[in-house]
Amino acid sequence: MPDGAQKPQAKPMRKRLTKDEVSPRSVFLDVPNMPWETTKFAGIKCKTLYSDGSGMATLLMELEPGAEVPLHEHTAIEQTYVLAGHFVDEEGECLPGQFVWRPEGNTHVAWAGKEGATILGIFLKPNIFADGRPFFTQDKG
């Protein structure tokens, strides 16, 4: 927070438009200060920005150079925005500022280029991995 800036004071919550109840509060995350989580995929770590337990998730992922997301099938649409590096699969590649979405049923392998990649991924359901590994937000045990 800049010098002299004041933390915003909590205001009373509005009422919902569709029900006679208070609007649920927003959830703000301090992403830069969140720890990176290890995954079962070599060279890939993530920060879970949202997960509802059913597989719907928003993940900030960092892939080391050449790190691979192994063969998997998308069980619902997946959206990926590339923040840094080079994110590639058999169908194409994305550079910083570029976006790719994949439909349900899309089956592929994806990997980071020689400089690695930082991506924001939005998933509606967990992917199914050919080798049986769980999706990033599923039990890591």
Side-chain angles (χ1 to χ4, degrees), residues 53-130:
S54 74
M56 182 182 286
T58 302
L59 304 174
L60 180 63
M61 300 168 66
E62 192 167 85
L63 290 80
E64 294 176 3
E68 181 179 282
V69 181
L71 182 63
H72 61 282
E73 180 175 321
H74 293 277
T75 58
I77 188 173
E78 175 238 326
Q79 303 172 74
T80 302
Y81 180 75
V82 178
L83 297 161
H86 193 192
F87 191 58
V88 186
D89 75 4
E90 301 98 337
E91 297 180 64
E93 57 189 317
C94 277
L95 298 173
Q98 296 182 333
F99 177 83
V100 58
W101 68 270
R102 296 181 174 91
E104 177 181 348
N106 181 272
T107 304
H108 69 128
V109 174
W111 60 91
K114 64 182 178 180
E115 62 283 313
T118 303
I119 61 174
L120 181 67
I122 301 168
F123 305 86
L124 299 182
K125 294 181 182 175
N127 295 335
I128 303 294
F129 289 90

